[in-house]
Amino acid sequence: MPNKRTISVDIPIVAALVLLTDLFILVPALAATPIRSVLGLPMVLFLPGYALIAALFPGKDDLDGIERLALSLGLSIAVVPLIGLGLNYTPWGIRLIPILVSLSVFTFIMCLVAVYRRSKLPSEKAFSLSLAEVYASVKAPVSSQSESKLDRVLTIILVIAVLASVVALVHVMVTPKQGEKFTEFYILGMDGKADNYTTRFALGDNGQVIVGVVNHEYENVKYSMDIRLNNESLPVPSNVQSFTLDDNATWEQPVTFTPNSVGNNMKLEFLLYKNDNLTVPYRDLHLWVNVTRGANATE
């Protein structure tokens, strides 16, 4: 009487983890929990590679436990960027949902291939997950006396390298890298474009531009603004004199000014100060304007 085939739990576990990760990413209420990050790490760093290894090596004797673990991590790190590269040439691009769907589909397909290939092997030769066997296969290369000292040393180095890689990757993913600190400062015409500025005025006429500030300083910043015409300050609206922005926040408003002197090619400056440091402007922009005494100045 033939032996019953042992049902391996590794493929169902992989499939369940993928579905659970999808759930915690796609459902808004669940996406706000830390569990999303906990599930997201193996989704990127382990599951695709493990499913691929399971499909490529369905036999129990094809690989030992350490080799499966190491190759699962290594292939995951290789497969995920390749999937991202492929998405870059599609209409969907490299965004969260397309990446999630692509990784899930790839992992499910590899799981199905693994199940099919294992079913073609005799039960005693097909790979199946048993915690006792996994522990024994991991321990055997380290403790076995039949192997040379060199093999045991190389195995230990491999284990240490795998663990170090996992720790390093987790640290990089959970610790946001702080980039360059800077502030965007720009002026636009009233049509919302960096063009068609009004540069000709009659004395006493009001001018208007759209001024924008974007905070990339990784902290809340208090900004102050001054407008000068030929180094003489002009009256500044109260909402422009001082305002505070959160990190990655944008401030964009129309700003009105009134030239108070006559001349050609005068420098109209917009000066931005940071955190009450009014000595030296943090950012500055300027336009060249003409102001006449007559009315109905042309643009």
Side-chain angles (χ1 to χ4, degrees):
M1 181 176 179
N3 295 332
K4 292 184 178 180
R5 180 175 295 275
T6 302
I7 299 177
S8 180
V9 297
D10 60 331
I11 298 302
I13 288 175
V14 170
L17 286 174
V18 171
L19 289 174
L20 197 59
T21 303
D22 293 345
L23 185 65
F24 272 85
I25 290 178
L26 296 176
V27 178
L30 299 176
T33 64
I35 300 177
R36 168 180 171 170
S37 299
V38 174
L39 293 173
L41 290 175
M43 180 70 176
V44 174
L45 298 178
F46 184 76
L47 298 182
Y50 184 87
L52 180 57
I53 288 297
L56 294 176
F57 302 100
K60 182 181 297 184
D61 297 328
D62 292 339
L63 298 171
D64 61 29
I66 293 179
E67 290 172 338
R68 284 186 183 272
L69 175 62
L71 288 175
S72 296
L73 292 168
L75 286 180
S76 291
I77 296 172
V79 166
V80 173
L82 289 176
I83 291 176
L85 181 63
L87 286 174
N88 188 50
Y89 295 98
T90 68
W92 303 288
I94 305 176
R95 295 194 296 273
L96 176 62
I97 301 303
I99 290 177
L100 179 66
V101 172
S102 300
L103 287 179
S104 299
V105 170
F106 173 84
T107 305
F108 282 132
I109 291 175
M110 291 301 103
C111 286
L112 291 174
V113 172
V115 171
Y116 173 78
R117 295 196 65 192
R118 289 179 185 179
S119 67
K120 296 299 181 180
L121 296 175
S123 59
E124 65 275 8
K125 293 185 178 181
F127 177 81
S128 60
L129 179 66
S130 168
L131 295 180
E133 292 179 358
V134 170
Y135 175 76
S137 64
V138 172
K139 182 181 178 182
V142 179
S143 60
S144 176
Q145 299 299 322
S146 62
E147 294 191 0
S148 66
K149 291 183 178 180
L150 179 61
D151 290 337
R152 292 199 296 273
V153 170
L154 291 177
T155 300
I156 294 173
I157 293 175
L158 177 60
V159 173
I160 294 174
V162 169
L163 293 177
S165 300
V166 173
V167 171
L169 286 170
V170 170
H171 175 73
V172 169
M173 295 185 67
V174 302
T175 305
K177 182 179 179 181
Q178 189 175 98
E180 180 184 0
K181 296 180 180 181
F182 67 98
T183 293
E184 294 182 50
F185 185 39
Y186 58 88
I187 53 175
L188 307 173
M190 292 311 295
D191 57 357
K193 300 179 180 179
D195 196 5
N196 297 327
Y197 302 105
T198 302
T199 58
R200 294 182 178 272
F201 303 93
L203 187 63
D205 284 351
N206 291 330
Q208 197 171 48
V209 293
I210 297 174
V211 178
V213 180
V214 185
N215 179 7
H216 297 292
E217 303 287 348
Y218 292 94
E219 63 181 0
N220 293 350
V221 177
K222 179 182 179 182
Y223 296 101
S224 303
M225 195 180 305
D226 188 18
I227 303 176
R228 296 181 184 178
L229 182 62
N230 275 2
N231 288 325
E232 294 186 9
S233 293
L234 301 179
V236 179
S238 57
N239 65 320
V240 178
Q241 288 178 355
S242 180
F243 54 92
T244 301
L245 282 183
D246 297 333
D247 181 39
N248 283 329
T250 300
W251 181 94
E252 186 177 285
Q253 292 190 24
V255 175
T256 303
F257 57 90
T258 306
N260 57 2
S261 60
V262 176
N264 293 324
N265 293 325
M266 294 191 295
K267 190 176 185 179
L268 178 65
E269 297 179 280
F270 297 83
L271 307 179
L272 186 69
Y273 298 90
K274 176 184 174 183
N275 291 335
D276 294 325
N277 182 3
L278 304 180
T279 305
V280 179
Y282 183 57
R283 295 286 184 270
D284 64 274
L285 301 166
H286 68 271
L287 296 172
W288 297 100
V289 300
N290 298 323
V291 182
T292 62
R293 292 188 181 277
N296 300 322
T298 59
E299 296 183 2

